[in-house]
Amino acid sequence: MSAPFRVAIIGAGPSGFYAAAQLLAVDDPVFAVDLFDRLPTPYGLVRAGVAPDHPKIKSVTRAYDKTASHERFRFFGHVELGTDITRQELLERYHAVIYAIGTATDRRLGIPGEDLQGSHAATEFVAWYNGHPDHSGLEIDLQARQAVVIGAGNVAIDVARMLALGPEELAVTDTADHAIEVLNASGIEEITILARRGPLQAAFTNPELLEMGELTRADLEVVNGDLDELSQAALCDADKTRTRNVEISQDYAGRDRSHPPRPITVRFHYLASPVELLADERGHVRAVKIERNEIVERDGRLAAPGTSELSEIPAQLVFRSIGYTGLPVAGIPFDEARGLIRNQGGRVLDDSGERCVGEYVTGWIKRGPSGVIGTNKKDSHDTVAKLLEDAAAGRLNAPAGGDMEGLLRDRAEHLVEWDGWQAIDAAETAAGRASDPDRPRVKLADWEQLRQASRGIAGPAGRT
Ligand code: NAP
């Protein structure tokens, strides 16, 4: 058997793991996969994005662990492309490199006041409650009474739901301890989810929207939830998810308040765009100025332009949840307008549209931040198919450099391999059991604690 083709995959989230599994399943030619991540921990958004009260979704990591146990798989954690290693060094050592780095930051609203104190990117809040070590120091003032979450997608729902969960509900999740402490002391009474279009156009998926109706501490309200005539007409051609979203929204609109009223009101406010965040005298957000929108037909499609009717929603806390976007990394060709690595079907293209030999891309940084975890399986399959086609045609990179491991041992001071991650995992799960028999883990949310745990060193209070 000839020596395997060596492939580096950058990013140990779902799309990276799916690409690894698919390559390792090929018998001829044979591939060896090195999976890199800048964090000492694998699983990407399954660990740092999926809501802590959704443990079933996280059980997908069992399939990733199976991939990691393959004899031709290695994990190189705590290694950052562009800092610890360069794109060139990868290309000198691998027949192919697959970028699976996800979309690292939030899309901006571009409205005045967006950066006032008390206004946060939902992406940061999500990373904070999930114990991402870059975000554990985020200061969230939950003494606020009123919060507005801007956007009508599943991340907005996650944020609103996390704000509404009670201490007993949080205690059995892997929400980071620092976040549980703050959330348990929360004074939030009103959470408004602000959607610029109507219930028919919202980006929620049904199970996530339905879950809002099961919140034990919140009553629901709906503002502007009635379908306009154009949306009503469009309903017959709508897909199942959207049709069901409308039904759920109508159910919520028709609900009476509980007796006695629950401590929190979650309000779905449709057909309104934020136009400005307004400040109090301390420079802290005090309200969201909104413009009422209306559904109109434009170029054969439904659009939701503003009507110039302005009003204010009082809010001392704002989460901007209008989607993620990618960031350029390490000189890899980047499409600024789309916030993605420039590519055609997963093959990286340079700025003049020529193929970059041996470079591929998968997941959100290839297609944009859409779909659920499983969507990445098909996406990676498509990218791997291109790689296999190129391997068969002799169009992969011809690496002359040696094995990456030697370079990493010299260079990446805190390299964490799979057994290092397993040590972190063991420490976290043991701390979870000690905290509550039903708690899956207590996440280590600090870089140094993670490094120490990866070396089997006990952390503060003997937790690790
Ligand atoms: P998303 O689904 O793309 O939703 C973004 C929302 O922001 C849309 O409602 C969009 O409205 C709105 N928006 C965009 N620009 C806006 C603006 N300038 N002003 C006001 N609103 C604006 O993004 P996401 O919620 O970040 O989710 C990302 C992906 O992860 C999605 O595929 C989602 O389903 C997935 N996800 C899944 C789960 C789960 O399965 N449990 C949980 C979290 C995330 P328009 O439609 O009008 O553009």
Side-chain angles (χ1 to χ4, degrees):
M1 192 174 75
S2 53
F5 283 116
R6 294 195 302 276
V7 179
I9 300 177
I10 314 302
S15 58
F17 265 106
Y18 290 128
Q22 289 152 4
L23 284 168
L24 291 168
V26 178
D27 291 331
D28 183 21
V30 170
F31 291 88
V33 172
D34 288 344
L35 181 62
F36 292 74
D37 204 286
R38 67 178 284 272
L39 290 180
T41 52
Y43 312 142
L45 280 185
V46 177
R47 179 175 163 99
V50 171
D53 63 332
H54 282 172
K56 265 201 198 139
I57 299 183
K58 293 181 194 233
S59 63
V60 69
T61 57
R62 280 192 222 124
Y64 307 156
D65 292 349
K66 192 158 174 249
T67 301
S69 68
H70 196 285
E71 59 185 359
R72 281 181 270 115
F73 175 96
R74 293 186 297 187
F75 175 64
F76 293 135
H78 209 333
V79 178
E80 183 166 5
L81 173 60
T83 306
D84 299 310
I85 47 168
T86 65
R87 176 183 176 203
Q88 193 53 36
E89 285 165 343
L90 287 172
L91 293 171
E92 283 163 8
R93 286 166 179 78
Y94 292 94
H95 294 87
V97 182
I98 302 179
Y99 304 111
I101 55 178
T103 47
T105 192
D106 60 302
R107 287 186 53 225
R108 305 276 299 166
L109 280 165
I111 60 171
E114 185 163 6
D115 293 315
L116 286 175
Q117 284 172 47
S119 162
H120 303 277
T123 51
E124 282 180 1
F125 181 60
V126 169
W128 171 77
Y129 64 60
N130 272 319
H132 189 300
D134 279 347
H135 300 278
S136 48
L138 187 71
E139 288 191 10
I140 301 281
D141 179 8
L142 285 179
Q143 290 318 303
R145 230 169 42 76
Q146 292 147 312
V148 169
V149 187
I150 299 169
N154 283 336
V155 171
I157 291 247
D158 279 349
V159 167
R161 197 182 64 256
M162 285 299 291
L163 288 172
L165 292 182
E168 313 76 43
E169 291 163 313
L170 287 170
V172 292
T173 69
D174 66 1
T175 308
D177 272 352
H178 59 248
I180 290 186
E181 198 179 310
V182 175
L183 289 164
N184 283 351
S186 164
I188 294 280
E189 293 170 10
E190 282 179 29
I191 303 163
T192 299
I193 297 176
L194 195 64
R196 64 177 170 181
R197 301 192 281 162
L200 180 66
Q201 293 86 19
F204 311 132
T205 47
N206 302 152
E208 282 61 33
L209 187 55
L210 279 169
E211 237 181 317
M212 298 305 279
E214 291 159 15
L215 289 171
T216 56
R217 301 189 339 133
D219 285 319
L220 303 182
E221 285 182 5
V222 178
V223 175
N224 299 341
D226 292 341
L227 286 199
D228 57 281
E229 275 178 27
L230 290 169
S231 296
Q232 191 69 48
L235 195 55
C236 4
D237 297 325
D239 64 33
K240 272 193 198 154
T241 298
R242 287 177 187 270
T243 311
R244 184 77 185 111
N245 273 351
V246 170
E247 288 167 8
I248 300 167
S249 175
Q250 284 167 350
D251 168 44
Y252 291 171
R255 284 192 184 187
D256 293 328
R257 282 197 82 84
S258 315
H259 291 288
R262 294 177 177 165
I264 297 174
T265 301
V266 174
R267 186 174 300 118
F268 292 88
H269 189 137
Y270 291 102
L271 286 173
S273 283
V275 290
E276 184 176 357
L277 302 192
L278 304 172
D280 64 13
E281 61 290 346
R282 300 170 299 147
H284 195 281
V285 65
R286 67 167 176 81
V288 181
K289 188 194 266 189
I290 57 169
E291 179 177 11
R292 168 96 194 230
N293 298 331
E294 64 179 349
I295 301 288
V296 299
E297 196 165 333
R298 209 175 255 174
D299 304 327
R301 304 181 64 174
L302 297 189
T307 61
S308 303
E309 183 188 320
L310 299 176
S311 58
E312 290 179 17
I313 304 177
Q316 304 80 45
L317 192 57
V318 172
F319 295 102
R320 309 176 312 263
S321 183
I322 62 164
Y324 290 70
T325 187
L327 290 174
V329 169
I332 304 159
F334 195 73
D335 181 339
E336 291 283 351
R338 301 183 63 211
L340 307 174
I341 290 181
R342 194 180 294 283
N343 78 94
Q344 188 172 45
R347 289 182 173 117
V348 177
L349 301 182
D350 69 15
D351 294 343
S352 52
E354 293 297 314
R355 290 224 346 238
C356 298
V357 175
E359 292 186 278
Y360 301 85
V361 60
T362 184
W364 278 10
I365 196 65
K366 167 190 174 188
R367 69 173 194 279
S370 65
V372 293
I373 292 168
T375 316
N376 296 297
K377 199 169 193 174
K378 158 95 174 64
D379 197 349
S380 289
H381 185 271
D382 294 346
T383 292
V384 166
K386 297 284 190 302
L387 195 156
L388 295 180
E389 217 176 281
D390 293 345
R395 283 198 304 248
L396 291 187
N397 203 15
D403 188 67
M404 181 52 97
E405 200 171 347
L407 181 101
L408 288 177
R409 297 218 178 278
D410 287 347
R411 185 82 61 78
E413 198 188 339
H414 301 294
L415 180 64
V416 175
E417 294 177 78
W418 195 255
D419 56 355
W421 152 243
Q422 285 174 318
I424 295 173
D425 185 40
E428 289 188 342
T429 49
R433 277 192 302 277
S435 139
D436 185 301
D438 292 326
R439 193 165 181 206
R441 66 181 62 241
V442 174
K443 278 185 176 164
L444 295 171
D446 169 86
W447 283 99
E448 192 47 38
Q449 280 183 2
L450 284 161
R451 286 193 273 267
Q452 293 203 358
S454 75
R455 298 194 290 268
I457 301 170
R463 272 233 315 252
T464 67

